[in-house]
Amino acid sequence: MGFDWIEPVYDILAKIVFGSRLQRAQLRFIDQIHRQQTSREPADSSVLSAPVSVLLLGGGTGWLLQQILQRCQPVRVLYLEASGRMLARATRRILHQPFSIEVRFQTGDEQTIPADEQFDVIITPFVLDLFTRATLQHRMIPRLLEALRPGGIWLVTDFVPAQGWWQRVLLWSMIRFFRLTAGIEARQLPDWQLLMSQAGLVCRDRQSAVGGMVSAEVWER
């Protein structure tokens, strides 16, 4: 089923329910892309600074991609999206923008990443909560870890268990809605933070948002 069916209303629904808070959460650590490039600059100033490559997995309709291109200037971006309609909309969003950055749009998931390709930065905005613990532990996290260069960072923005009763009801309703409309496999929020830690990643920074329902985090390999 996938997200093709709800592509026309996806951004509208998010705006109605959360306003701009989900977008602000995704931007919380976006400056880490620039810092990653600075940290890779060679000691010899006569040598060109090391370029930064970015894998954006599940970027939806392309809003976050546009922000990254405008603010961070990576040298190369692989935009990987399972929904063909979402991908087409993201492509149209930046088609006529004056960016001199290599952006490759590809339909697929983490299993379609070329085996010999690695990235300095991986970004998964509201992706991990769509899957079961087993899928994250045995398929998604290991494959993305292989695609992340040593010393690279993984920026995660996603839902986490909430304390308030209304937040728990909202999360429960969202999961059921996306199971019905997009066929996601998750029946409850997976503990993706624990799984990333168990995979050997180290959380360098995190900040909660949306009343504790969302966490924006920086993980390092």
Side-chain angles (χ1 to χ4, degrees), residues 110 131-142 185:
E110 74 285 347
F131 300 93
T132 63
R133 176 189 178 95
T135 296
L136 293 179
Q137 184 174 20
H138 301 298
R139 192 189 79 189
M140 179 170 282
I141 292 177
E185 65 176 52

Side-chain angles (χ1 to χ4, degrees), residues 162-201:
Q163 300 300 317
W165 68 267
W166 68 270
Q167 296 168 320
R168 294 196 297 270
V169 170
L170 179 56
L171 287 171
W172 180 89
S173 302
M174 289 169 52
I175 291 173
R176 267 78 192 156
F177 173 78
F178 286 116
R179 280 184 59 82
L180 176 65
T181 59
I184 69 170
E185 65 176 52
R187 294 180 179 272
Q188 60 186 12
L189 283 180
D191 191 346
W192 53 267
Q193 294 163 314
L194 175 63
L195 296 176
M196 293 185 73
S197 178
Q198 290 177 342
L201 291 154

Side-chain angles (χ1 to χ4, degrees), residues 93-112:
R93 186 186 288 267
I94 71 161
L95 186 60
H96 301 295
Q97 299 295 317
F99 299 123
S100 59
I101 300 168
E102 177 191 345
V103 180
R104 190 166 90 248
F105 292 94
Q106 184 174 334
T107 304
D109 57 21
E110 74 285 347
Q111 299 303 315
T112 60

Side-chain angles (χ1 to χ4, degrees), residues 26 45 52 69 87 118 120 128 132 139 142 159 171 186-187 201 205 212:
Q26 292 176 73
S45 60
V52 168
L69 297 181
L87 190 75
Q118 286 190 312
D120 302 296
L128 303 183
T132 63
R139 192 189 79 189
F159 290 101
L171 287 171
R187 294 180 179 272
L201 291 154
D205 204 351

Side-chain angles (χ1 to χ4, degrees), residues 44-114:
D44 185 352
S45 60
S46 66
V47 180
L48 292 176
S49 62
V52 168
S53 56
V54 175
L55 167 62
L56 178 50
L57 175 65
T61 60
W63 172 85
L64 182 57
L65 172 64
Q66 192 172 29
Q67 299 300 311
I68 291 170
L69 297 181
Q70 290 174 346
R71 302 182 184 205
C72 305
Q73 297 292 306
V75 69
R76 176 171 60 92
V77 178
L78 172 58
Y79 194 84
L80 199 55
E81 170 59 55
S83 166
R85 289 186 179 179
M86 293 277 197
L87 190 75
R89 189 169 173 186
T91 304
R92 292 194 300 270
R93 186 186 288 267
I94 71 161
L95 186 60
H96 301 295
Q97 299 295 317
F99 299 123
S100 59
I101 300 168
E102 177 191 345
V103 180
R104 190 166 90 248
F105 292 94
Q106 184 174 334
T107 304
D109 57 21
E110 74 285 347
Q111 299 303 315
T112 60
I113 302 171

Side-chain angles (χ1 to χ4, degrees), residues 124-156:
T124 53
F126 299 102
V127 172
L128 303 183
D129 64 327
L130 305 177
F131 300 93
T132 63
R133 176 189 178 95
T135 296
L136 293 179
Q137 184 174 20
H138 301 298
R139 192 189 79 189
M140 179 170 282
I141 292 177
R143 180 64 193 96
L144 290 176
L145 195 55
E146 290 176 354
L148 184 62
R149 286 196 178 113
I153 58 172
W154 185 342
L155 304 182
V156 184

